[in-house]
Amino acid sequence: MTTVWAGLATGAIYSLVAIGYNVVLLASGTFNFAHAQLLMAGTFLAYTGAVTLGLPVLPTLLLGAAGVAVVALLEERIAIRPLLGRSDAHGALITTVGAATILDGLAAVIWGREPLTVPSVLPDEPLTLLGGTVRPVDLALIALTLLTGVGLHLWSRHSLLGLASLASAEDREAAAARGINVRLLGTGAFVLAGAIAGVFGLLVGARTYAVFDLGHSLALFGFVAIAIGGSGSQLGGLIGGFATGLVYAFAARYIGAEFPQIVVFGVFLLILFLRPRGLFGAALERRV
Amino acid sequence: MLSVTGITGGYGDLRVLREVDVSVRAGRITAVLGRNGAGKTSLLSAVAGLLPSVGAGRVELDGRDLTGLPPHRRIRAGLALVQENKRVFHARTVEENLLLGGYALGGRGLRSPARRAALEQAYERFPMLRERRRAPAGSLSGGQQQMLAIAQALMPGPKVLMLDEPSAGLAPVIVKEVLAMVAKLRDEGLSILLVEQRVEQALEIADDVAVMEGGRIAASGPKNGFDDGAVIREIYLGRSDERLTTGKS
């Protein structure tokens, strides 16, 4: 059971990346390859708040949310906005990868290349739960990720803005013709995704450290989570992330510490072959 | 009511509208006719603010200048557009589609009093939609989807309704039903800009006519000026510019 808890805690981080991808994808039709870097920025801001500035938990969370939301807003303005209205539908794929590279570089310049320890906001003493041990901070990470994913899923189906976001994902021009401000919706999605990434910086950093190249591995596994769960489905992304974490943890435990990545990508390929839209994905088609 | 003057625009460098003038009188239907590729759909897109590039021209609604406004502000000002091919949100239910149609209405929350009242009105006008309210819009028949698209556009209580080929892809009996609904909306006082391929049916319900050719208005005026069908035949079957000028009313 300890392996399950470890898998779920790692999976929660992959779920967070998938949730961030989906928030932006649903509202603006853009796949933000830099979202994992936003999560990385969240861990560094958590370090700055909690360690450098010595702030209590709540102000640290606010610093993370506001800081990463601003970074996401800047990304949208610089890497996405200039491309809107252009016929080249693939431009954003390139510019968001560019944004990810710049964010990696900036983090290395500002905070250095060595991993920084983000302190745990909860007691370090592990809990015994359902026959396995888990750190309180990891349990909080799992629970809050679940809450965020399910909350976003419900919000998208039962609120005007949520429905507008789904409508915009299905047909952006038809959504505009219904009076939805699709540009503002897209910008809002970047800010929301950034704020969520920032809030989770403290919990994610406590598990991964704050390190400038964190985004690389997270982006890859977040992408696997999306492929498993299906793009455009918040519940799918949530479940895909946890499933990826569990596969990783079980492969490490029972096959060997060198193999989890190979096993995860084996599952990834299998899903792509058998069910290319993922387990819960809607068809979000891209016109080429 | 709606006045469009000198609209020029297109897609990037491709210019598909050239100094187009068209107007809709209050409580009347203006039918825009023309062959495929004449620029009819682009004209509606330009009026709705959806055409990527509009170089010149002016769009006025009730004397208010809408030129340059983004689409959502034009909808709030009283324009509504039913796009070609029944562009409803297929993955969403009928009721969600209608609520999204009421996006521009005030009030917080998905089911604000204003949106609930508009929803009730839509169900009264289209009882079939109430019966299918929980069904995904994609599961409706073509005619039902067209009715849903019209009901969706009516949700914010527009002053001018623009319809792009509402009969496209529908069985003849359904076409009759849809166009009868359009005429009924006009009789209730709505101003309508109708783009339609089926010339005869469109002329049956139209009050004014504008014929487009190559991105320009080739002829326009009250319907009785087109009663002998000569100008329209020339447009569809080949023409001489001179003949068209004389046909212009």
Side-chain angles (χ1 to χ4, degrees), chain A residues 170-171 173-174 177-179 181, chain B residues 72 75 81 83 87 89-91:
Chain A
E170 190 176 330
D171 188 336
E173 192 184 79
R178 296 281 68 85
N181 186 348
Chain B
H72 66 278
I75 302 293
L81 171 64
Q83 291 168 291
R87 297 266 286 269
F89 303 111
H90 288 215

Side-chain angles (χ1 to χ4, degrees), chain A residues 219-264:
Chain A
L220 223 50
F221 287 107
F223 195 70
V224 175
I226 283 269
I228 292 176
S231 62
S233 163
Q234 287 296 9
L235 280 187
L238 189 69
I239 294 168
F242 282 125
T244 307
L246 285 171
V247 169
Y248 191 100
F250 275 94
R253 172 89 172 74
Y254 294 106
I255 301 176
E258 301 85 14
F259 296 105
Q261 292 204 357
I262 295 171
V263 175
V264 165

Side-chain angles (χ1 to χ4, degrees), chain A residues 173-224:
Chain A
E173 192 184 79
R178 296 281 68 85
I180 296 166
N181 186 348
V182 289
R183 277 195 175 195
L184 189 63
L185 202 63
T187 307
F190 266 87
V191 171
L192 176 67
I196 292 172
V199 162
F200 273 92
L202 210 47
L203 290 174
V204 171
R207 187 166 179 80
T208 62
Y209 299 100
V211 56
F212 80 100
D213 59 358
L214 179 66
H216 286 166
S217 57
L218 291 190
L220 223 50
F221 287 107
F223 195 70
V224 175

